[in-house]
Amino acid sequence: DLQWVDASHTSMYGKIRCHWRREQDRISMRVNVPPNTEATVYVPTNAPENVREGQSSASEADGVRLLRVEPDGAVFSIGSGEYTFLSSWTSTVSQKRTNQP
């Protein structure tokens, strides 16, 4: 039932920040990574091939590398900078509610 999170951590290289919001069957996630730093980002999705970063497919975006696909998400490695990921995601709880008579 969690709809959004805005969290940050001050590392020795600067502030790492992640903000995500769930709206119906979509998740938008904004991640800021300080200079000289890399991060691993888990993007919840039921369709990893459709995850976008900005205006591009995440698999083709600058500074983004797909590490692996998991049953409920895609895991990316990103370099320093600001990224906005968009994905589709329907939880199994929502699916069960929708499929009930």
Side-chain angles (χ1 to χ4, degrees), residues 58-97:
S59 61
E60 297 174 359
D62 288 338
V64 178
R65 182 171 52 97
L66 178 65
L67 296 177
R68 65 186 176 277
V69 173
E70 296 185 353
D72 290 327
V75 182
F76 297 94
S77 173
I78 58 175
S80 59
E82 183 172 322
Y83 301 84
T84 302
F85 292 93
L86 298 171
S87 70
S88 58
W89 183 71
T90 306
S91 72
T92 54
V93 172
S94 297
Q95 290 172 351
K96 287 178 185 175
R97 288 182 188 154

Side-chain angles (χ1 to χ4, degrees), residues 9-16 34-35 37:
H9 169 74
T10 302
S11 75
M12 61 191 295
Y13 295 103
K15 187 176 278 191
I16 301 165
T37 307

